[in-house]
């Protein structure tokens, strides 16, 4: 008997369904009504709702709500600091049944083989991992990445079953000024989904960006910005990550009227935040708590997301759609009691039955060892640029401060919260080292260092003392990348991320524990930021206004150019 015949017969009730969820209420994300009755599933497909069914396996969900599985519309799984398999185990039980990822973090380290690692992994996870192919590797010409990916490298991957389209087009100046490399990628993916990434872009430049075929945007950070982007044809993704926290600002924009054109995403969220707050479930709880109708919120988390990315097989609990279902007691609380992904009940047995893919990009930290003198600042002007941190934002201030030289060096000044920030090229390409100043860490002593350094993923170090900064940077080479906290010549805490310097090979629970130790160690240095390592990572991303630093120097993002110290 064909699969089609099976689905028809099980939907009619003339044959027992493979799985039946008995006695619950389906929350319709079109009408907002409750539909009482069983949900029948054949293989990975829903075949019936609203009636009584019998099944080869039956699960009692009497009195509970059934909502469509949640779709995270934009994230970098690498930034969860675990492999795709551990990410699967971490968030699928919370109701995330589809993750639309852009593997550009690993692509910036390992190139196309890094993307292929995610494509291969997507064929084995319990949750559905879909991939948008990385569009900007590197993100700009003002950094040294470990790889360069052109349109010709992406075209052979376009028809992989996990691929949706082209990932966030971060080089928005390259789009609106018709950079040849950008144009080649846009032409290659014309008619397919292209993700946006255009912080603060507005007016005619925004029109030009949308005219290039770009369909979605997750960088809106204010209600006014989100509204303009909705009005000009973009689907706006409300983002709440570990650093980029835009949900509070954008919540007033989400309504029954706008929900068909708005989605939810996390972008970058680590196991510490997931354990303490949640993932998309946290966003759903918060938004409903702000008085936004549950229909608008759950629609944005499922059906609107599916439609925005052309995933016509999911997003609703109706016959013929993929069986992605979250079972819970109360819509307002959004705490999953049971999750079904593609007809598979999410439990330990499901995770144990998965296939596996060997990790790639080991030994990727190839930086030469550094010494204390490498962190001296030799700018020509007393008036120096300073990166100003806005906690909870990846946007930064462009500040100017007077720092007088001492013995030819402009030193950190904890009393003024002026710390040294340094980026060290770690791919073994040119050995660049760039020094600058940052304000906002509150650090009084020691140093923190990381190889999670968007998007080029060189070594980033912030510190009050050069010897500690050198120790922290060199330690990263010894552990194949990760996070390190150093004080007075001693490593206080560390987390090894040996897969491309981005991902741990440990279970997510172990990563969570290590992050707790790192946070406590950072606090002991005086650090006041809730997520210092992820905040540090974004200080090196030269496509986010206003001032950043790469291995090539300080970057004025508004002018899109390197500047003198």
């Amino acid at each position: 008997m064909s699969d089609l015949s099976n689905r028809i017969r099980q939907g009619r009730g003339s044959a027992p369904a493979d799985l039946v969820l008995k006695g619950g209420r389906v929350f319709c994300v079109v009408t907002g009504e409750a539909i009482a009755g069983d949900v029948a599933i054949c293989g990975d497909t829903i075949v019936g709702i609203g009636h009584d069914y019998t099944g080869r396996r039956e699960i009692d969900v009497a009195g509970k709500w059934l909502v469509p599985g949640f779709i995270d519309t934009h994230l970098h799984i690498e930034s969860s600091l675990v492999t795709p398999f551990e990410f699967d185990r971490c968030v699928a039980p919370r109701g995330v049944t589809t993750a639309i990822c852009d593997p550009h973090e690993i692509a910036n380290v390992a190139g196309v083989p890094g993307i292929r690692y995610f494509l291969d992994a997507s064929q084995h996870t319990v949750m559905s991992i879909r991939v948008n192919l990385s569009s900007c590797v590197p993100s700009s010409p003002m950094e040294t990445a470990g790889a360069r990916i052109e349109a010709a490298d992406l075209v052979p991957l376009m028809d992989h079953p996990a691929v949706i389209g082209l990932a966030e087009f971060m080089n928005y100046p390259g789009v609106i000024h018709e950079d040849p490399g950008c144009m080649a990628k846009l032409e290659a993916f014309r008619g397919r989904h292209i993700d946006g990434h255009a912080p603060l872009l507005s007016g005619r430049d925004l029109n030009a960006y949308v005219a290039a075929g770009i369909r979605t945007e997750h960088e809106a950070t204010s209600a006014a910005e989100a509204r303009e982007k909705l009005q000009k044809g973009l689907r706006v993704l409300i983002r709440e990550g570990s650093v980029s926290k835009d949900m509070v600002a954008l919540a007033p924009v989400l309504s029954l009227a706008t929900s068909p054109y708005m989605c939810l995403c996390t972008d970058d969220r680590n196991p510490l935040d997931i354990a303490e707050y949640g993932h998309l479930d946290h966003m759903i709880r918060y938004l409903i708590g702000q008085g936004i109708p549950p229909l608008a919120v759950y629609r944005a988390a499922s059906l609107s997301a599916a439609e925005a990315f052309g995933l016509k097989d999911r997003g609703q609990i109706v016959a013929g759609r993929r069986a992605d279902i979250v079972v819970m007691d109360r819509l307002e609380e959004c705490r999953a009691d049971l999750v079904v992904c593609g007809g598979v009940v999410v439990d330990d047995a499901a995770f144990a039955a998965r296939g596996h893919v060997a990790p790639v990009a080991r030994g990727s930290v190839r930086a030469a060892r550094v010494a204390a003198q490498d962190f001296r600042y030799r700018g020509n002007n007393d008036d120096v640029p300073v990166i100003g941190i806005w906690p909870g934002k990846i946007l930064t201030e462009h500040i100017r401060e007077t720092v007088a030289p001492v013995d030819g060096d402009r030193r950190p000044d904890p009393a003024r919260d002026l710390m040294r920030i340094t980026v060290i090229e770690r791919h073994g390409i040119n050995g660049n080292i760039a020094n600058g100043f940052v304000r906002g860490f509150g650090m009084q002593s020691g140093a923190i260092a990381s190889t999670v350094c968007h998007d080029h993923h060189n070594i980033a170090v912030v510190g009050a003392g050069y010897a500690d900064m050198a120790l922290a940077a060199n330690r990263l080479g010894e552990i194949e990348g990760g996070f390190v906290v150093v004080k007075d010549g001693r490593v206080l805490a560390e987390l090894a991320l040996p897969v491309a310097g981005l991902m741990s090979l440990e279970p997510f629970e172990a990563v969570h524990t290590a992050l707790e130790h790192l946070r406590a160690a950072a606090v002991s240095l005086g650090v006041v930021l809730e997520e210092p390592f992820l905040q540090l990572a974004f200080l090196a991303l030269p496509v986010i206004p206003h001032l950043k630093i790469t291995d090539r120097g300080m970057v004025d993002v508004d002018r899109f150019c390197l500047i003198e110290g």
Side-chain angles (χ1 to χ4, degrees):
M1 188 183 303
S2 70
D3 290 342
L4 178 60
S5 294
N6 273 332
R7 289 198 295 272
I8 292 170
R9 293 179 186 185
Q10 291 184 26
R12 293 188 68 218
S14 59
D18 293 338
L19 173 64
V20 176
L21 305 180
K22 298 286 293 182
R25 294 172 291 172
V26 169
F27 183 58
C28 178
V29 290
V30 173
T31 67
E33 295 171 300
I35 303 170
D38 301 342
V39 175
I41 298 168
C42 175
D44 64 357
T45 303
I46 299 165
V47 293
I49 68 169
H51 299 277
D52 293 332
Y53 284 95
T54 59
R56 296 182 180 90
R57 180 183 181 187
E58 297 182 353
I59 300 176
D60 183 5
V61 295
K64 297 182 182 293
W65 286 99
L66 281 67
V67 301
F70 312 144
I71 302 174
D72 191 336
T73 52
H74 175 73
L75 77 162
H76 312 283
I77 289 176
E78 308 98 306
S79 294
S80 70
L81 309 178
V82 294
T83 67
F85 299 98
E86 279 302 300
F87 179 78
D88 183 25
R89 196 171 67 83
C90 184
V91 306
R94 293 180 174 271
V96 181
T97 56
T98 301
I100 301 175
C101 80
D102 168 12
H104 76 206
E105 316 300 358
I106 196 170
N108 270 277
V109 176
V112 169
I115 297 176
R116 288 194 181 277
Y117 169 67
F118 272 83
L119 294 176
D120 293 343
S122 73
Q123 305 304 292
H124 299 285
T125 49
V126 175
M127 72 187 306
S128 174
I129 293 178
R130 303 301 296 269
V131 176
N132 277 321
L133 298 174
S134 306
S135 66
C136 297
V137 178
S139 71
S140 82
M142 295 176 289
E143 62 200 283
T144 305
R148 177 173 295 276
I149 296 179
E150 305 292 354
D153 301 309
L154 298 175
V155 169
L157 305 176
M158 290 171 63
D159 295 323
H160 187 282
V163 169
I164 293 175
L166 193 62
E168 54 179 329
F169 222 104
M170 296 180 293
N171 189 357
Y172 59 90
V175 174
I176 62 179
H177 295 297
E178 302 175 56
D179 171 83
C182 293
M183 296 293 284
K185 290 171 185 172
L186 293 169
E187 288 285 3
F189 282 80
R190 181 182 291 192
R192 299 191 181 218
H193 183 90
I194 304 176
D195 252 349
H197 178 291
L200 303 182
L201 198 65
S202 64
R204 291 178 178 172
D205 284 347
L206 178 58
N207 284 335
Y209 189 72
V210 178
I214 291 160
R215 300 178 182 175
T216 52
E217 168 67 329
H218 62 275
E219 289 292 341
T221 57
S222 70
E225 182 180 359
R227 288 189 183 280
E228 182 186 4
K229 287 175 173 176
L230 284 168
Q231 290 166 353
K232 290 187 172 175
L234 291 170
R235 308 248 184 163
V236 170
L237 320 181
I238 300 175
R239 174 176 59 186
E240 186 73 3
S242 289
V243 170
S244 308
K245 299 179 184 294
D246 304 313
M247 179 171 62
V248 173
L250 300 192
V253 184
L254 181 60
S255 66
L256 289 175
T258 62
S259 61
Y261 307 99
M262 299 189 76
C263 315
L264 308 182
C265 76
T266 58
D267 204 352
D268 294 292
R269 199 161 183 82
N270 67 41
L272 189 58
D273 272 1
I274 295 169
E276 292 182 0
Y277 302 106
H279 201 260
L280 291 187
D281 54 320
H282 162 64
M283 298 184 70
I284 293 166
R285 282 190 293 274
Y286 174 84
L287 293 166
I288 293 175
Q290 295 303 298
I292 299 170
L295 173 57
V297 178
Y298 280 103
R299 181 187 282 161
S302 57
L303 180 59
S304 299
E307 292 185 340
F309 288 82
L311 301 176
K312 298 179 180 180
D313 63 338
R314 65 197 70 189
Q316 282 181 278
I317 302 179
V318 294
R321 300 292 176 95
R322 179 180 155 94
D324 292 341
I325 300 169
V326 185
V327 180
M328 63 186 67
D329 285 329
R330 299 184 65 235
L331 294 176
E332 296 79 8
E333 291 184 356
C334 190
R335 300 191 187 277
D337 292 329
L338 174 75
V339 179
V340 177
C341 285
V344 175
V345 175
V346 174
D347 56 19
D348 290 343
F351 293 126
R354 298 176 304 186
H356 189 67
V357 177
V360 298
R362 297 292 303 270
S364 64
V365 181
R366 305 185 185 97
R369 292 182 67 82
V370 293
Q373 62 264 28
D374 292 318
F375 297 91
R376 291 168 59 87
Y377 187 99
R378 298 180 175 87
N380 295 321
N381 303 315
D382 287 353
D383 184 34
V384 300
V386 178
I387 300 170
I389 292 174
W390 286 324
K393 299 290 183 186
I394 57 177
L395 298 170
T396 53
E397 285 188 277
H398 185 162
I399 302 169
R400 305 292 301 194
E401 288 283 352
T402 299
V403 181
V406 177
D407 296 329
D409 176 33
R410 288 165 176 81
R411 297 176 180 172
D413 186 350
R416 298 165 64 193
D417 192 16
L418 291 176
M419 290 296 99
R420 171 71 71 249
I421 182 168
T422 299
V423 176
I424 303 164
E425 189 274 316
R426 64 105 156 173
H427 304 291
I429 295 174
N430 53 36
N432 285 346
I433 299 177
N435 293 307
F437 284 96
V438 63
R439 169 174 284 161
F441 279 89
M443 188 181 295
Q444 298 300 305
S445 61
I448 67 173
S450 171
T451 52
V452 179
C453 183
H454 299 301
D455 278 337
H456 42 82
H457 299 297
N458 289 304
I459 293 172
V461 193
V462 168
Y466 299 166
D468 282 346
M469 294 178 74
L471 174 58
N474 291 331
R475 180 60 182 161
L476 289 175
E478 296 165 359
I479 63 174
E480 296 187 83
F483 300 147
V484 177
V485 178
V486 169
K487 182 178 182 180
D488 297 332
R490 185 168 63 92
V491 174
L492 300 184
E494 66 184 24
L495 170 63
L497 302 174
V499 182
L502 301 172
M503 291 175 279
S504 172
L505 291 172
E506 298 298 317
F508 73 82
E509 295 93 342
V511 174
H512 171 256
T513 299
L515 289 171
E516 288 183 316
H517 294 158
L518 283 157
R519 178 186 283 181
V523 169
S524 77
L525 307 184
V527 172
V528 296
L529 297 171
E530 183 179 6
E531 289 292 344
F533 287 98
L534 286 182
Q535 196 92 54
L536 171 58
F538 284 102
L539 299 182
L541 182 55
V543 291
I544 298 290
H546 297 278
L547 182 65
K548 295 294 188 288
I549 183 172
T550 74
D551 66 296
R552 297 179 185 271
M554 302 290 281
V555 179
D556 183 328
V557 183
D558 299 319
R559 293 163 52 201
F560 212 58
C561 67
L562 294 164
I563 60 175
E564 292 288 334

